[in-house]
Amino acid sequence: SLPAKLINGGIAGLIGVTCVFPIDLAKTRLQNQQNGQRLYTSMSDCLVKTIRSEGYFGMYRGAAVNLTLVTPEKAIKLAANDFFRHHLSKDGKKLTLLREMLAGCGAGTCQVIVTTPMEMLKIQLQDAGRIAAQKKLMAAQAQLSSSSAPGAAEPVVERRTTATQITRELLRSKGIAGLYKGLGATLLRDVPFSIVYFPLFANLNKLGQKDPNVKAPFYVSFLSGCVAGSTAAVAVNPCDVIKTRLQSLQRGVNEDTYSGILDCTKKIWQKEGPAAFLKGAYCRALVIAPLFGIAQVVYFIGIAEFLLDMLPKHR
């Protein structure tokens, strides 16, 4: 039932995000740093420096936005894929690969309604620590190179903002369109992701089914979700880098700004090289693999069905 699908998708999203959010924060910061202003050399270096400068909970900056909106996002994505698969199947027959890809395309298109504002807000909060750390580093270097007495320069203090404050400011200055900045880049990432992910997962999961009418074991669903998720994540990582850059409202010192997808692609290619489009790819694979593995296990086990079946007993 639709309520069960929505609940399953929501539970899966909450569990997955809680487990992998620090890696997602590292991914955002690695993708946003440009040549000449590199603070982090790797995912582990980013996480260690984040803990040192911002504390343990610094790794979860922006997590509240994700935890709030990931439920409708994952619910829409999984339920939409099932909806399109159902309507594209003919008399219950097995879907062709093309129809599976069309179902994934529909799911990816539907989810951006929630994904775009969620990613927009999350990126501002995740990247704020990197920009503040960069400014502190630049101030320290300037102080050392100047002839002024030590301690004369004013310390750089980060002014932390919340998702609510960012939302209000965007709505006030740009209207609802402000929250949907980077919509085109989000579609460019999520639609191909879903086209790759859902057919690949469905076919991998079928390999573990002894009987077409019996669900695959949970570990098969988990591994299928991990493999399909990481494969799709790496495949669309260049689009994710572009999306992250376009949705970042604040820039570090001497960092480029972009007017659109083509301008962003051109500047990254010319100034940072082709390898820049793979920034954070392994982080993204590490995020997506368990996230979708957990999502598919929860979804296929059907926790919601159990909860909904229990409700009449307590009336």
Side-chain angles (χ1 to χ4, degrees):
S1 64
L2 182 60
K5 290 176 182 178
L6 297 178
I7 294 171
N8 279 332
I11 293 172
L14 291 173
I15 295 172
V17 167
T18 303
C19 294
V20 301
F21 192 84
I23 304 174
D24 186 64
L25 178 136
K27 178 207 69 107
T28 298
R29 294 188 176 186
L30 288 170
Q31 287 182 339
N32 261 337
Q33 64 178 7
Q34 300 178 21
N35 289 342
Q37 303 295 338
R38 295 170 62 88
L39 292 175
Y40 315 113
T41 58
S42 64
M43 178 185 73
S44 57
D45 180 56
C46 178
L47 293 177
V48 168
K49 288 179 178 177
T50 297
I51 293 173
R52 286 177 180 172
S53 61
E54 303 169 54
Y56 174 79
F57 291 105
M59 295 190 299
Y60 283 89
R61 292 181 70 169
V65 175
N66 250 34
L67 291 172
T68 302
L69 296 178
V70 75
T71 297
E73 186 214 23
K74 286 292 175 287
I76 289 171
K77 189 185 190 79
L78 295 173
N81 182 65
D82 272 5
F83 173 83
F84 287 115
R85 287 178 70 90
H86 173 73
H87 285 277
L88 286 169
S89 63
K90 293 181 178 180
D91 302 324
K93 292 181 180 179
K94 181 181 177 181
L95 284 173
T96 62
L97 179 60
L98 178 60
R99 288 177 179 269
E100 287 183 332
M101 294 173 71
L102 286 173
C105 178
T109 304
C110 290
Q111 79 168 85
V112 297
I113 298 170
V114 177
T115 302
T116 305
M118 179 183 76
E119 293 272 312
M120 178 73 180
L121 296 172
K122 182 195 71 173
I123 285 171
Q124 313 317 314
L125 297 171
Q126 285 182 329
D127 204 40
R130 180 189 69 89
I131 294 173
Q134 187 191 81
K135 288 180 179 178
K136 288 178 182 178
L137 180 62
M138 297 290 287
Q141 291 174 346
Q143 184 177 341
L144 288 174
S145 62
S146 66
S147 58
S148 59
E154 293 184 5
V156 177
V157 179
E158 180 188 357
R159 295 178 62 185
R160 293 203 175 192
T161 56
T162 64
T164 303
Q165 290 172 329
I166 296 171
T167 302
R168 286 175 179 172
E169 177 58 27
L170 285 171
L171 290 175
R172 184 189 65 79
S173 60
K174 299 181 179 180
I176 193 68
L179 290 173
Y180 280 87
K181 183 180 180 182
L183 175 62
T186 305
L187 280 168
L188 198 63
R189 180 197 67 172
D190 288 349
V191 171
F193 177 92
S194 296
I195 289 174
V196 173
Y197 172 78
F198 283 111
L200 183 57
F201 168 79
N203 286 281
L204 288 174
N205 197 56
K206 285 176 185 175
L207 296 176
Q209 290 180 280
K210 295 180 180 179
D211 188 315
N213 297 318
V214 179
K215 289 182 181 179
F218 78 92
Y219 64 87
V220 173
S221 293
F222 177 76
L223 291 174
S224 299
C226 288
V227 172
S230 57
T231 301
V234 173
V236 302
N237 194 76
C239 300
D240 190 56
V241 172
I242 294 168
K243 184 199 72 67
T244 300
R245 295 280 182 96
L246 288 175
Q247 288 189 320
S248 297
L249 298 176
Q250 294 186 4
R251 305 287 177 188
V253 181
N254 299 324
E255 289 185 345
D256 288 327
T257 57
Y258 311 104
S259 60
I261 295 174
L262 293 178
D263 180 57
C264 182
T265 304
K266 182 180 178 181
K267 287 181 178 177
I268 292 174
W269 183 277
Q270 291 178 341
K271 298 185 178 182
E272 302 174 58
F277 291 103
L278 293 177
K279 282 184 176 181
Y282 65 97
C283 292
R284 184 163 163 76
L286 289 174
V287 169
I288 297 296
L291 184 63
F292 278 84
I294 293 168
Q296 292 295 356
V297 168
V298 172
Y299 198 63
F300 274 80
I301 286 177
I303 292 176
E305 285 85 344
F306 172 76
L307 294 175
L308 291 171
D309 287 342
M310 293 292 290
L311 288 177
K313 299 178 183 181
H314 295 283
R315 288 176 182 171

